């Protein structure tokens, strides 16, 4: 059967359908439409709030691992990413947990535009703030490290209103002499191999160029000699044609050769 638009109910007006008990059921689509719109608006607000909560999170960055030798100074870098402008109330906090220890201790704090250094712990008089909060840098410098400084250093940053986030940690490893890392050795080997390959390719193309140049010069010299020989023979023939005495001598010589052949 063909449906016509007149048979379909309008959404903007209520309509009724027959019921098995004889009483029609009235359905108001206008009310249903309002409920759908409210549901969509509620879902949209939830999604937007979720996105806003993600964009206001702060991300803290540090190195993964730091190596140093006994008696040297080591810089522990800390920075952060935030969608907000750098706040004048930005804060940085550093905690230290020695290898084998269960709990960490606070060794540095920056707040209100001033650094607060450790004056009682293992790093007293050995910590210096070398960061720049306006550039989101909360790095510290540990002076005269020794083997007892091995451990994990954790940096946390807050940039109000961005305060939600996770701190980042860097492990300090102090040695009597800093060992050469395997990555450095591998990189050096790869660099030497690539340098040799480049040198071999350069020598190969240089040899090809020199050989091609030599072949070209030889071919040019051969063509020059052939041209000179042809010119000399042509000059001789022209001189013979221009000299009548030589022509007569040549004709008599030819007759003598023919007479000798006939006698034979």
């Amino acid at each position: 059967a063909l449906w016509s638009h007149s048979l379909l109910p309008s959404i903007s007006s209520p309509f009724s359908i027959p019921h098995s008990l004889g009483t029609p059921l009235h359905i108001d689509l206008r009310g249903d439409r309002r409920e759908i719109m409210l549901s969509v608006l509620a879902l949209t607000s939830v999604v937007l709030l979720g996105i806003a909560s993600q964009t206001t999170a702060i991300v803290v960055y540090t190195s993964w691992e730091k190596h140093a030798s006994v008696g040297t100074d080591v810089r522990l870098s800390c920075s952060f990413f935030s969608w907000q402008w750098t706040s004048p109330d930005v804060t940085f906090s550093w905690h230290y947990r020695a290898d084998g220890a269960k709990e960490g201790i606070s060794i540095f704090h920056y707040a209100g535009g001033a650094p607060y250094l450790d004056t009682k712990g293992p790093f007293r008089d050995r910590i210096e703030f070398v960061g720049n909060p306006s550039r989101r840098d909360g790095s510290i410098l540990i002076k005269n490290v020794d083997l007892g400084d091995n451990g994990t250093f954790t940096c946390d940053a807050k940039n109000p209103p961005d305060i939600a986030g996770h701190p980042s940690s860097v492990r300090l490893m102090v040695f009597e002499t800093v060992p050469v890392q395997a990555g450095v050795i591998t990189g050096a080997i790869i660099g030497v191999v690539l340098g040799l390959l480049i040198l071999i390719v350069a020598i190969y193309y240089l040899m090809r160029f020199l050989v091609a140049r030599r072949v070209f010069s030889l071919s040019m010299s051969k063509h020059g000699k052939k041209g000179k020989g042809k010119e000399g023979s042509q000059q001789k023939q022209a001189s013979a044609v221009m000299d009548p005495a030589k022509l007569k001598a040549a004709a008599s010589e030819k007759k003598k050769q023919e007479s000798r052949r006939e006698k034979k």
Side-chain angles (χ1 to χ4, degrees), residues 171-191:
R171 186 160 184 256
L172 176 63
M173 301 180 68
V174 183
F175 302 92
E176 291 289 347
T177 12
V178 178
V180 180
Q181 299 180 6
V184 176
I185 298 175
T186 305
I189 294 173
I190 293 174

Side-chain angles (χ1 to χ4, degrees), residues 58-72:
I58 189 170
V59 183
V60 183
Y61 301 98
T62 61
S63 304
W64 176 258
E65 195 173 81
K66 198 79 174 180
H67 293 177
S69 57
V70 174
T72 61

Side-chain angles (χ1 to χ4, degrees), residues 8-129:
L8 296 176
S10 174
I11 295 178
S12 62
S13 61
F15 70 98
S16 61
I17 58 175
H19 193 263
S20 60
L21 298 178
T23 58
L25 293 175
H26 295 276
I27 299 177
D28 190 355
L29 291 182
R30 290 177 295 180
D32 294 342
R33 186 174 64 176
R34 284 195 293 269
E35 292 179 0
I36 293 172
M37 293 296 295
L38 289 174
S39 300
V40 171
L41 290 175
L43 181 61
T44 305
S45 62
V46 170
V47 172
L48 291 177
L49 286 174
I51 294 174
S53 64
Q54 290 180 0
T55 56
T56 56
I58 189 170
V59 183
V60 183
Y61 301 98
T62 61
S63 304
W64 176 258
E65 195 173 81
K66 198 79 174 180
H67 293 177
S69 57
V70 174
T72 61
D73 301 341
V74 60
R75 179 190 176 106
L76 300 179
S77 301
C78 177
S79 60
F80 67 87
F81 171 80
S82 171
W83 288 103
Q84 302 292 334
W85 294 100
T86 304
S87 169
D89 299 325
V90 64
T91 64
F92 291 96
S93 299
W94 281 92
H95 291 78
Y96 167 72
R97 182 173 59 84
D99 287 345
K102 294 182 179 180
E103 296 181 357
I105 59 174
S106 176
I107 61 172
F108 175 81
H109 185 69
Y110 177 91
Y116 298 91
L117 306 176
D118 179 24
T119 58
K120 296 181 180 179
F123 300 100
R124 61 183 178 275
D125 301 329
R126 292 198 295 138
I127 291 183
E128 180 183 350
F129 181 59

Side-chain angles (χ1 to χ4, degrees), residues 87-230:
S87 169
D89 299 325
V90 64
T91 64
F92 291 96
S93 299
W94 281 92
H95 291 78
Y96 167 72
R97 182 173 59 84
D99 287 345
K102 294 182 179 180
E103 296 181 357
I105 59 174
S106 176
I107 61 172
F108 175 81
H109 185 69
Y110 177 91
Y116 298 91
L117 306 176
D118 179 24
T119 58
K120 296 181 180 179
F123 300 100
R124 61 183 178 275
D125 301 329
R126 292 198 295 138
I127 291 183
E128 180 183 350
F129 181 59
V130 292
N132 187 349
S134 62
R135 296 187 178 181
R136 305 184 175 188
D137 182 7
S139 304
I140 59 175
L141 183 73
I142 300 180
K143 303 176 181 179
N144 192 24
V145 295
D146 57 23
L147 298 175
D149 296 334
N150 286 325
T152 303
F153 293 79
T154 303
C155 176
D156 193 12
K158 305 295 182 185
N159 184 41
D162 286 357
I163 58 174
H166 298 284
S168 182
S169 299
V170 52
R171 186 160 184 256
L172 176 63
M173 301 180 68
V174 183
F175 302 92
E176 291 289 347
T177 12
V178 178
V180 180
Q181 299 180 6
V184 176
I185 298 175
T186 305
I189 294 173
I190 293 174
V192 171
V193 172
L194 289 177
L196 289 175
L197 288 176
I198 293 172
L199 181 61
I200 291 171
V201 171
I203 293 173
Y204 169 74
Y205 280 103
L206 179 61
M207 294 299 295
R208 285 191 61 181
F209 172 75
L210 294 176
V211 170
R213 185 177 179 182
R214 179 64 176 170
V215 170
F216 178 75
S217 61
L218 290 175
S219 62
M220 290 298 294
S221 62
K222 288 180 180 179
H223 285 300
K225 290 180 180 179
K226 289 181 180 179
K228 290 180 180 179
K230 289 181 179 179

